[in-house]
Amino acid sequence: MSNRVKFIILYLFLFAFRTAYGLSLKFWESDELQTYLIGLKWYSTHAWPFFGPDLIVDDTHFFFQIPGALEGLIVGTPFFLLPIPEAPFLFLNQLSLSAIAFLSWYISKRLPKIPYLFVFAWIALLPWTLNDSTHMYNPCYLLIGSVLFFVGFLEAVPTLSIKALSSQLAFALMGFGLFWNMQFHFSWILLPPFVLFAFFTQWHKSGFIKLFRGIGFLLAGSIVPAAFLLPTLLTYGWHNLLGGGGTFQFINWANVKQIITMLARFLSQACFEMPQFVGEHTKDRFALMNEAPWLYLPGIFLLLVGWLQAVALLFLGLFEPFIWPFLRWKKNPRRPEEFPLFRLIRLVFLMLYMSFWFTYKAPVAHAYFILFPLVTVFSFYIWNKLFETKPSFWGTFGKIALAMSFLFHLGFLVEMMPKRSLYSNRPLIVRAIQEKDYRILAVRRPQSIY
């Protein structure tokens, strides 16, 4: 069987599984339902969706709608092609799995000893991608934009590039990813420093001609997503781009104290860290396991592996300069981009940590899911080092981890599908679609513009 056929079979399997998993996740809670309503409103009324996700700060009662039409169009347009409740889920999972396939291809280019299909299955079955890129929740649409942005960024910076893409295409991908994510989540404000850094490195290496060329291709790449943002800014004002400063706080000392928690959440994105997705509290997680005892074995396995993975990323990656004399590996001349990448990850976490000093928003983990592709690329450099030491052991261990992740999330899917998914009242959604009246399902928040 050729690799192409294997890829098609794996892609179809993962698409079916991830779509079913996304359909089993919570649907009727406020944020998920409101995301779905924005798209259903566009389908029902054909009124241009000038605004997308709702940004709410509970502590200050601040409300703001993120400008841009992409969310309404991306969620609602599938209804025109297939007027069933599952239509937006099908399109979302097509987008997110395609993004994972592209990221996996790029990682396999950087680290060719790790098989591409293994990388693809690994990323697709991580708890973070299963729970934050498969269902109706606006951060789930960040993955496609983030993958394009960070693959472009890594190829735009000379010391990080492996020459998998031209610098022109790299900057175009950054432009597309930036203006895509800008319309789905306010965490997009973490991305401009990467753009400036890429511009600086181009100028430092090749001068102003390369810099201006990079700016031109970034603007060219941004044309399509920016076209869905511009009507809102022209109609309602450019101040909407930054939310009017409603989330700003000079120093949030509660967030300053969260450095250890933030570091753990930052690294765990690329790990089998699943407790937070199973339940909010430990008693909730044990209640689920007691209802489905067969989840205990894969659940405990993933819990321990997730912890160990985060520790490995911390000590073998972020802390490597302090412990490298005790390690067998040193700078690999075949991968000169490795150490600059590790330094970059340290700076990125520092930037992330300090950015939360100046906001009322708590540093919840999904607020920096936008950085997932970068953390994942970094993590595979660590897994590659381990694989090179004992390939047979780590290869077998990786396959066991994939099997355990699949079994656990399959069981979670079976348990949750009848309890909180859209199938607990699917006929109501069908009626809203058939009668083209989103209000049959629910109404938008009273503060919303759209």
Side-chain angles (χ1 to χ4, degrees), residues 6-16 93-95 97-98 101 120:
K6 290 179 181 178
F7 170 75
I8 292 173
I9 293 173
L10 180 60
Y11 186 97
L12 293 175
F13 169 76
L14 290 172
F15 175 72
N93 281 279
Q94 181 67 46
L95 286 176
L97 190 59
S98 298
F120 182 39

Side-chain angles (χ1 to χ4, degrees), residues 149-150 152-154 156-158 160 171 174-175 178 188-205 207 210-212 214-215 218 344 351:
F149 179 89
F150 281 108
F153 169 77
L154 291 171
V157 177
L160 300 172
F171 276 105
M174 288 178 67
L178 174 63
W188 71 266
I189 61 175
L190 295 171
L191 299 183
F194 292 95
V195 176
L196 295 177
F197 182 75
F199 285 156
F200 173 78
T201 57
Q202 283 289 319
W203 167 78
H204 187 263
K205 181 182 179 182
K210 273 272 190 178
L211 170 62
F212 290 132
I215 293 173
L218 183 135
L344 172 70
M351 177 194 73

Side-chain angles (χ1 to χ4, degrees), residues 195-375:
V195 176
L196 295 177
F197 182 75
F199 285 156
F200 173 78
T201 57
Q202 283 289 319
W203 167 78
H204 187 263
K205 181 182 179 182
S206 306
F208 283 105
I209 294 179
K210 273 272 190 178
L211 170 62
F212 290 132
R213 186 178 299 171
I215 293 173
F217 277 96
L218 183 135
L219 294 175
S222 69
I223 287 175
V224 172
F228 298 102
L229 174 64
L230 194 59
T232 304
L233 300 181
L234 292 176
T235 303
Y236 290 89
W238 291 83
H239 66 280
N240 286 284
L241 191 62
L242 296 175
T247 63
F248 177 78
Q249 179 179 355
F250 180 63
I251 291 290
N252 186 334
W253 292 107
N255 287 350
V256 172
K257 299 174 184 177
Q258 294 287 319
I259 183 169
I260 302 299
T261 301
M262 289 187 64
L263 180 59
R265 290 172 176 171
F266 176 70
L267 295 176
S268 70
Q269 294 182 87
C271 305
F272 287 104
E273 188 264 338
M274 53 76 184
Q276 68 166 312
F277 301 113
V278 177
E280 292 186 11
H281 307 287
T282 302
K283 64 178 182 179
D284 301 324
R285 298 159 192 160
F286 275 111
L288 171 67
M289 308 287 256
N290 290 332
E291 291 178 13
W294 67 299
L295 293 178
Y296 266 106
L297 177 60
I300 292 173
F301 178 88
L302 293 177
L303 177 66
L304 296 176
V305 168
W307 287 346
L308 292 174
Q309 285 177 308
V311 171
L313 294 180
L314 179 64
F315 286 99
L316 303 183
L318 296 187
F319 289 175
E320 187 179 23
F322 306 105
I323 65 171
W324 71 264
F326 305 102
L327 301 174
R328 291 183 179 181
W329 60 71
K330 294 184 180 180
K331 186 174 182 179
N332 191 330
R334 293 174 299 171
R335 287 190 290 274
E337 78 283 356
E338 181 178 293
F339 280 75
L341 175 63
F342 286 14
R343 288 194 294 268
L344 172 70
I345 291 294
R346 297 183 196 107
L347 290 174
V348 168
F349 173 72
L350 182 62
M351 177 194 73
L352 173 69
Y353 170 59
M354 294 181 66
S355 69
F356 276 92
W357 293 5
F358 305 102
T359 178
Y360 285 104
K361 296 285 285 184
V364 291
H366 75 260
Y368 31 97
F369 181 62
I370 199 168
L371 302 173
F372 170 82
L374 189 61
V375 179

